[in-house]
Amino acid sequence: MEENLKWLWYAFSAAWIIHILYVASIASRAKDLRGQIDNLKTLLQDQQRRSADPSGQGDPHSDRPAG
């Protein structure tokens, strides 16, 4: 009887380890996606700033005037 309980404990432990690794994997992917979304938001804001520039020649990353 104790031999069966030992194997049951091993199976239970393995199941928990698999679940923990799966949740860690999902958390890692979510973190990567958040970073990509932030980068996309930054790119869209830069594009909107460039399109709002009346001269159309300004570089948003430069402090000197265009021309």
Side-chain angles (χ1 to χ4, degrees):
M1 173 97 176
E2 287 185 29
E3 184 69 23
N4 289 340
L5 290 177
K6 182 173 77 169
W7 287 108
L8 181 63
W9 174 252
Y10 290 154
F12 185 71
S13 298
W16 270 106
I17 289 170
I18 290 169
H19 280 95
I20 290 169
L21 291 174
Y22 180 67
V23 169
S25 169
I26 289 175
S28 173
R29 292 179 197 173
K31 182 180 176 184
D32 291 343
L33 284 175
R34 274 189 228 109
Q36 290 179 1
I37 288 171
D38 289 342
N39 287 339
L40 182 59
K41 284 180 182 178
T42 303
L43 288 173
L44 288 173
Q45 288 172 353
D46 287 348
Q47 186 178 17
Q48 288 175 349
R49 282 189 207 120
R50 276 189 241 133
S51 66
D53 186 15
S55 67
Q57 297 177 9
D59 184 7
H61 301 291
S62 176
D63 291 335
R64 59 187 176 148

